[in-house]
Amino acid sequence: MSTFSLLNPATEEVFASVPSLSLEETDAAIERAAVAFESWRQVSPGDRARLLRRFSEVVDSHLEELAMIEVENAGHTIGNARWEAGNVRDVLAYYAGAPERHMGKQIPVAGGINVTFHEPLGVVGIIVPWNFPMPIAGWGFVPALAAGNTVVLKPAEITPLTAMRLGELALEAGIPEGVFQVLTGKGSVVGWRFVTHEKVAKVCFTGSTEVGSKIMAGCADQIKRVTLELGGKSANVIFSDADLELAAARAPGGVFDNAGQDCCARSRILVQRDSYDRFLELLEPAVKGFVCGDPRDESTEMGPLVSAAQHEVVRSFVPDGAPIAFQGTCPEGPGFWFPPTVLAPVGRKDRAVTDEIFGPVVVVLPFEDEADAIAIANDTPYGLSGSIWTRDLGRALRVSRAIDSGNLSVNSHSSVRYWTPFGGFKQSGIGRELGPDALDAFSDVKNVFISTEE
Ligand code: NAP
Ligand code: MG
C-alpha cells in the first residue's frame, strides 16, 4: 500500500505517514457507503439525533487530543486548535437537534392533501482543504449525516490526521460502520472519484477556485449536486468616522489569524484617505506586536505556514523591492515561517491586491468616499467576507448591502458562527453551509399529493 509522509510545519520533521488510497480502495469505500445508506436512512429521527449527540460528547472528551494533533500536523496555534475541535463538538450538538425538526410542508390543495418530504440524497462526498481541517470537515459531514446521508470524506493530503481521528470517534460513539468514512489520499485520485462515481450523489468541496471550477464542470456530467466554498480577497473597509484605534488594533487578527491561510482573511485594508496616514501609524505597533512563534505556546497568535509549497507561494508576493511598509517578526531556522507583512503603497491592479495570497500579507489602499470604497471592495471576482468600520449606522447598512459578499461584519471581523449561514458570492462559491437550513443542501424536496376523492 502506498503511503504519504506528514511534516510538522513548525520543525519540518517527518512525524507520521498515512495510507494513500487507490482508485479500487476508493470505489470499495463508496460501495460500503451506498450499502450503509439503505439502513442509515431508516434510522428514526430520534435515534439519529441521539447518535449525533453522543458523537458530540465523544469529541468533547477528546478535545485536547484533537487540538494537539492539529498543532503538530497543521502548525495551528494551540488556542485556535482548541477552538476548532470545540467547533466540531458544537456543530454536532447543534445538528443533533435537526433530524426531528427537518420538517416538510402541508400545502392547501383541492381534492386531497399535499405534503412535502426532505429525502436524503445518498452518499455525499466531502473534500476538505488543509487550512481548517476540523471545522470544514464538520460543516460538511455533520448536516449531511443529520439529513440521513452517508459520507465519504477526503481530507487534504497533508493534513489528514484529525479527520481520521474523527472517523474513529464516530464509531466509538455508535455511528454504524460505513456511515462516515474518512478516505486519505490524493485529490486527483480519491477526490476526483467522488465527482465521477455514479453512487456519489453530491460533492461538497472547499478549496481553490481553480479546482472548484473543475469539480463543478465534472459534476455537470451526472447533474450531481455540488456545494463549493472557494477563495476570497476580502476587504476591511475603514471609514474616517470609525473608532480608528480599535479598527487598527483588530486589523491584524482579521488577516493574520491562522497565518492568513483563511478564505475569510481581510487581506485588503481600505482606509478613507484623510485617515490613511494616521491608520498606518496605529497599525504598525499592532502588526509588530502580533506574536508569531511556537504554536504550542499559549500566547502565540500565529504559527508557521502549512507547507514549503505554501511558503513559496506567499514569498512570491513579497519579492525583493516589494513595497513593505512594515513587518512583524517570526522565528528563524527550520519551519515554514513568514512574518506578518504590510504592503503599501500599492496600485489597485498589483498582483498582491488582486490575487488571493493565503498567507500573512496584507495590502493597504486609500479610498475617497463611500462610492469609491464600494467600487474597490467589489473590484474582485471573489465575494466571501469583509468588514466595515464606521459609527454611522445608516452607512454601515448601505455599505453592507452594496458589497457583493456572503458574510460581512460591522465593527468586527467575525464571520463564522455555526448557527448562521456561510458561503460565497461570485467566484467564492455556490450554496451555503451552516445555519438553520444546512440540511436542505443535503436533501431533495419530494412533493406528494394524496387524493381524498372516492
Ligand atoms: P486545492 O488544490 O483546491 O485542494 C483542496 C482539496 O481538494 C484538497 O483535499 C485536495 O486534495 C483536493 N483536490 C485537489 N485536486 C483535486 C481534484 N482534481 N479533484 C478532487 N479533489 C481535488 O487547494 P490547495 O492546492 O491545497 O491550495 C491552493 C490554493 O487554494 C491556496 O493557496 C489558496 O489560495 C486556496 N485555498 C482556499 C481554501 C478555502 O478555504 N477557500 C482552502 C485551501 C486553499 P490534495 O490535498 O490531495 O491535493
Ligand atoms: Mg492543489
Side-chain angles (χ1 to χ4, degrees):
M1 179 191 275
S2 78
T3 58
F4 184 82
S5 300
L6 304 178
L7 287 187
N8 180 331
T11 62
E12 300 184 43
E13 278 162 21
V14 174
F15 70 96
S17 81
V18 293
S20 216
L21 297 195
S22 65
L23 203 56
E24 293 68 34
E25 289 164 317
T26 305
D27 282 355
I30 293 169
E31 290 295 341
R32 284 195 296 276
V35 171
F37 173 62
E38 294 311 324
S39 43
W40 180 244
R41 71 182 309 181
Q42 305 297 340
V43 173
S44 74
D47 286 341
R48 214 184 296 145
R50 209 180 344 270
L51 285 166
L52 291 173
R53 269 197 299 277
R54 214 186 285 156
F55 191 1
S56 171
E57 286 156 13
V58 172
V59 169
D60 189 48
S61 62
H62 292 79
L63 218 64
E64 195 62 18
E65 180 198 337
L66 287 163
M68 291 307 290
I69 294 173
E70 209 67 284
V71 171
E72 186 168 34
N73 193 177
H76 288 198
T77 64
I78 182 64
N80 277 13
R82 285 185 183 127
W83 182 91
E84 291 158 17
N87 183 258
V88 177
R89 170 202 56 206
D90 294 344
V91 169
L92 278 162
Y94 179 68
Y95 291 110
E100 299 125 314
R101 294 176 176 84
H102 200 202
M103 288 171 280
K105 290 184 172 131
Q106 179 267 311
I107 299 169
V109 288
I113 64 166
N114 189 97
V115 288
T116 66
F117 298 93
H118 295 284
E119 303 289 7
L121 301 171
V123 180
V124 172
I126 296 172
I127 302 173
V128 180
W130 44 258
N131 60 327
F132 288 110
M134 278 191 276
I136 293 174
W139 304 350
F141 79 75
V142 177
L145 294 177
N149 305 280
T150 54
V151 168
V152 283
L153 182 142
K154 196 206 95 66
E157 193 172 29
I158 59 173
T159 58
L161 292 183
T162 46
M164 291 170 77
R165 190 70 186 113
L166 287 167
E168 294 167 358
L169 296 178
L171 294 174
E172 205 175 309
I175 305 279
E177 294 271 354
V179 169
F180 173 46
Q181 298 175 82
V182 175
L183 313 184
T184 55
K186 288 198 181 312
S188 54
V189 178
V190 180
W192 187 250
R193 192 64 181 133
F194 296 175
V195 175
T196 60
H197 199 297
E198 289 188 352
K199 289 191 180 167
V200 176
K202 168 165 185 156
V203 177
C204 187
F205 171 86
T206 304
S208 62
T209 296
E210 186 195 350
V211 175
S213 156
K214 274 194 230 159
I215 301 254
M216 190 171 177
C219 284
D221 276 350
Q222 297 168 28
I223 320 292
K224 193 169 285 196
R225 277 95 186 106
V226 63
T227 296
L228 303 173
E229 300 288 359
L230 309 175
K233 190 72 187 177
S234 297
N236 177 10
V237 184
I238 298 158
F239 288 94
S240 289
D241 68 19
D243 180 340
L244 278 190
E245 280 76 16
L246 190 64
R250 295 284 163 79
V255 58
F256 300 144
D257 187 60
N258 204 35
Q261 303 166 119
D262 182 344
C263 44
C264 290
R266 275 69 166 170
S267 55
R268 294 183 297 152
I269 302 179
L270 314 182
V271 188
Q272 199 155 11
R273 190 176 294 279
D274 56 2
S275 300
Y276 181 80
D277 291 338
R278 175 72 186 134
F279 181 81
L280 281 175
E281 263 171 41
L282 293 166
L283 183 63
E284 184 164 353
V287 169
K288 290 187 168 166
F290 204 76
V291 183
C292 175
D294 186 343
R296 294 167 304 179
D297 190 331
E298 306 261 345
S299 61
T300 296
E301 292 174 286
M302 187 182 118
L305 291 165
V306 75
S307 66
Q310 192 59 20
H311 193 270
E312 201 54 38
V313 170
V314 175
R315 217 165 51 102
S316 77
F317 285 93
V318 192
D320 287 342
I324 298 175
F326 38 86
Q327 257 178 329
T329 54
C330 66
E332 301 197 348
F336 307 121
W337 304 100
F338 201 94
T341 300
V342 177
L343 299 181
V346 286
R348 291 186 181 187
K349 296 294 175 197
D350 288 359
R351 183 170 161 253
V353 175
T354 58
D355 291 13
E356 181 174 49
I357 299 175
F358 231 60
V361 179
V362 68
V363 295
V364 189
L365 294 145
F367 68 84
E368 305 305 330
D369 54 18
E370 206 174 293
D372 193 34
I374 292 164
I376 305 175
N378 285 339
D379 186 16
T380 168
Y382 295 116
L384 191 55
S385 76
S387 302
I388 299 137
W389 293 78
T390 175
R391 288 190 173 102
D392 179 334
L393 180 57
R395 165 174 280 162
L397 284 169
R398 279 195 305 276
V399 178
S400 296
R401 296 300 298 271
I403 293 182
D404 299 326
S405 177
N407 299 82
L408 292 162
S409 48
V410 174
N411 297 328
S412 141
H413 293 306
S414 86
S415 44
V416 185
R417 291 184 179 78
Y418 56 80
W419 62 102
T420 61
F422 176 73
F425 277 37
K426 302 195 286 186
Q427 291 185 28
S428 285
I430 189 158
R432 289 293 176 272
E433 299 189 289
L434 301 175
D437 305 318
L439 271 61
D440 292 352
F442 293 103
S443 49
D444 266 337
V445 172
K446 181 180 286 170
N447 192 69
V448 177
F449 169 74
I450 303 160
S451 171
T452 48
E453 313 268 293
E454 289 193 61

